[in-house]
Amino acid sequence: MNRRHITSRVRIQLLGLLMLMGVGALGLKLWWIQVAHGQEWTSQLRGSSQATVRIPSVRGEIKDRNGLTLVQNRASYEVDFICRKWSKAIANGLVTRPSPSIERLSMECRKT
């Protein structure tokens, strides 16, 4: 019984040691990503942009008592331009042939 008690105790200690090593490895990897390579991730973040897309749920048609459709659901899209970035994109040659509506926006951006 004494030997069995010792082997179970050793097993528990080994399991605890393995868990401690796993948490240590996880902490080391987290440090490596955040501290050692933090500048790299920060520079990538500064070069990115954000797009928020909100698509509301479909509510169905509204009809009158004769069955004529009064209101329909249809998708509509909205695009916001940031003039500073748009002007830089044109200057860097990233935009080659914009559509006429985008060209009007480009003219508005140049005025501001």
Side-chain angles (χ1 to χ4, degrees):
M1 184 156 179
N2 195 13
R3 182 176 182 182
R4 180 177 256 181
H5 180 68
I6 291 174
T7 57
S8 64
R9 185 175 219 172
V10 169
R11 286 182 187 172
I12 292 173
Q13 288 176 347
L14 283 175
L15 181 63
L17 181 64
L18 285 174
M19 289 176 66
L20 188 62
M21 287 172 54
V23 169
L26 186 63
L28 182 64
K29 183 67 175 179
L30 184 62
W31 176 85
W32 184 257
I33 290 172
Q34 288 189 344
V35 177
H37 292 283
Q39 290 295 330
E40 177 183 334
W41 294 110
T42 303
S43 65
Q44 285 182 5
L45 185 63
R46 286 190 182 124
S48 67
S49 63
Q50 178 180 356
T52 302
V53 178
R54 181 175 178 226
I55 301 175
S57 61
V58 177
R59 302 198 183 264
E61 295 181 339
I62 299 175
K63 297 185 178 193
D64 68 357
R65 64 180 170 184
N66 298 324
L68 295 173
T69 302
L70 300 174
V71 178
Q72 291 180 330
N73 285 321
R74 64 181 174 89
S76 62
Y77 302 99
E78 179 181 320
V79 177
D80 294 328
F81 285 98
I82 301 172
C83 289
R84 282 190 321 263
K85 291 183 179 182
W86 183 250
S87 298
K88 285 180 185 177
I90 291 173
N92 292 334
L94 298 175
V95 178
T96 55
R97 294 184 342 203
S99 68
S101 59
I102 292 179
E103 188 61 38
R104 280 194 305 270
L105 284 172
S106 177
M107 293 296 191
E108 291 296 320
C109 284
R110 289 179 191 150
K111 289 178 186 176
T112 58

